[in-house]
Amino acid sequence: MTLEGLLAQTPEPVTAHCCVCGRATTAPVEVRPGHTTCPEHITDALTTAPGVNP
């Protein structure tokens, strides 16, 4: 590693909004094209209709 690489700022984490609970997550999972969810709600997102909160 170079000194420049060690001193460089780290990029901001990727965030997305969960389609089930609506909160921002830094570990989004795409359950359907264009629909992301947090890891805790993968099953809920796959078993409900798009856009419907359980």
Side-chain angles (χ1 to χ4, degrees):
M1 294 191 85
T2 64
L3 181 61
E4 291 83 16
L6 292 172
L7 297 176
Q9 288 185 340
T10 57
E12 290 293 318
V14 176
T15 59
H17 287 86
C18 177
C19 66
V20 176
C21 67
R23 70 179 176 186
T25 179
T26 56
V29 177
E30 189 170 32
V31 291
R32 291 187 198 95
H35 295 278
T36 55
T37 184
C38 53
E40 295 87 17
H41 294 116
I42 294 171
T43 306
D44 293 335
L46 290 172
T47 57
T48 57
V52 175
N53 289 335

